[in-house]
Amino acid sequence: MAGLIARRARKQAVLRWIVVVVACVFFLLPLVAMVEFTTRDSGQAWRLLVNWPKLRETYPALADGIVQSLGQALWTVLLMLALLVPTAIWVRLRLPGLRRLVEFLCLLPLTIPAIVLVVGLAPVYAWVTYFFGGSAQLLTFAYTILVLPYAYRSIDAGLSAIDVRTLAEAARSLGASWGTVIWRVVLPNIRSAVLSAAFLSVALVLGEFTIASLLNRNNLQVAINLLGKSSATMSVAVSLAALLLAFVLLLGLSLLGDRRRAASPAPIDKENS
């Protein structure tokens, strides 16, 4: 019996390694091909990419797309946090009966294809352009809608990990206002969840193409698409840099979460205490 269990364990270990190797080849081989393609000219594309003045002079549309995407990411994160964090906390504390409704509304954009969202947003943005101009930063409102499903799940998971009601009642009993409860009591306890929502929002905004393209706005992905028609090497280099940036953000989020879990005190064993 022990021999059978040992053979089964070895087979499972071999199967796991096979899956890991196949997954690594599947995901890493295209990245290796991109690196090889962009370094055929002695890395000229990468040297130009880190030389911002020369990049802005040589590819002004790409430089503008990078600036626009970074601005869109920043404003999207700020608007998302300003809308979602107080709402999620308030629903938890004061309106628990509306939690399912808020969750449904936040997850709804996940079920609607981007092309369908553009059809609905186009008339709205026609009026927005008429009153406020055609700035690409106005895509912040559309991107805030897109990131709601991912940001809400992250923040909701953070709130579920703590006893929000007890913390709020303790703070209120000491004379704290609701603003103080949200800002100085609850928010520090869900810091990792808020950072998770922010990083996911940045990754989504940096990779968004459909809405910006169909609404005739410029961002990083639109600029990469246009650049691919004139300079394939530079286009692939910028795409790979954007992928690496998203990977670094998600890796940083994972390391931050692991460090916070390691720093948190171990639960008290009541039976042995």
Side-chain angles (χ1 to χ4, degrees):
M1 186 64 180
L4 179 61
I5 295 176
R7 286 194 299 270
R8 183 178 299 175
R10 283 194 296 269
K11 289 181 180 179
Q12 291 176 349
V14 170
L15 180 61
R16 284 195 295 269
W17 277 107
I18 292 175
V19 172
V20 169
V21 170
V22 171
C24 289
V25 171
F26 180 81
F27 288 108
L28 294 180
L29 189 60
L31 299 181
V32 173
M34 294 173 71
V35 172
E36 191 277 331
F37 179 74
T38 56
T39 54
R40 290 179 182 178
D41 56 352
S42 302
Q44 292 292 335
W46 290 102
R47 281 195 285 269
L48 181 60
L49 192 58
V50 298
N51 189 345
W52 178 253
K54 190 174 181 180
L55 176 68
R56 186 168 52 185
E57 178 183 353
T58 308
Y59 300 105
L62 175 61
D64 180 67
I66 294 173
V67 172
Q68 295 292 351
S69 284
L70 293 177
Q72 291 163 1
L74 174 63
W75 289 114
T76 299
V77 168
L78 293 178
L79 183 58
M80 176 271 297
L81 294 179
L83 291 175
L84 202 55
V85 173
T87 301
I89 295 175
W90 191 253
V91 168
R92 283 267 181 169
L93 292 177
R94 306 293 294 175
L95 302 169
L98 295 181
R99 182 183 172 190
R100 294 301 179 187
L101 177 61
V102 173
E103 181 178 7
F104 171 77
L105 293 176
C106 290
L107 297 180
L108 192 59
L110 194 63
T111 65
I112 303 175
I115 186 66
V116 178
L117 283 176
V118 173
V119 173
L121 290 172
V124 177
Y125 269 89
W127 286 102
V128 171
T129 302
Y130 178 77
F131 286 108
F132 301 103
S135 173
Q137 296 303 312
L138 294 174
L139 289 177
T140 296
F141 302 108
Y143 291 161
T144 302
I145 296 174
L146 284 182
V147 304
L148 280 181
Y150 312 98
Y152 175 81
R153 296 306 299 172
S154 176
I155 294 174
D156 185 67
L159 291 173
S160 299
I162 63 175
D163 192 347
V164 183
R165 186 173 299 277
T166 300
L167 290 174
E169 290 177 353
R172 291 287 291 170
S173 66
L174 294 174
S177 64
W178 282 114
T180 302
V181 170
I182 293 175
W183 182 253
R184 301 188 61 182
V185 178
V186 179
L187 191 58
N189 286 281
I190 59 170
R191 187 182 296 114
S192 60
V194 171
L195 289 175
S196 174
F199 287 164
L200 290 174
S201 299
V202 170
L204 189 145
V205 172
L206 293 181
E208 203 286 320
F209 170 77
T210 305
I211 293 179
S213 177
L214 294 179
L215 292 180
N216 296 318
R217 302 300 201 281
N218 189 28
N219 69 358
L220 176 60
Q221 297 303 321
V222 172
I224 290 174
N225 180 62
L226 295 176
L227 184 62
K229 301 176 182 179
S230 58
S231 177
T233 303
M234 192 64 190
S235 175
V236 174
V238 177
S239 300
L240 181 57
L243 285 174
L244 293 177
L245 176 60
F247 174 76
V248 169
L249 287 176
L250 297 178
L251 180 61
L253 170 64
S254 176
L255 294 177
L256 178 64
D258 291 341
R259 190 164 69 176
R260 285 184 63 84
R261 283 193 294 268
S264 62
I268 300 176
D269 190 350
K270 296 182 178 180
E271 293 183 0
N272 297 328
S273 60

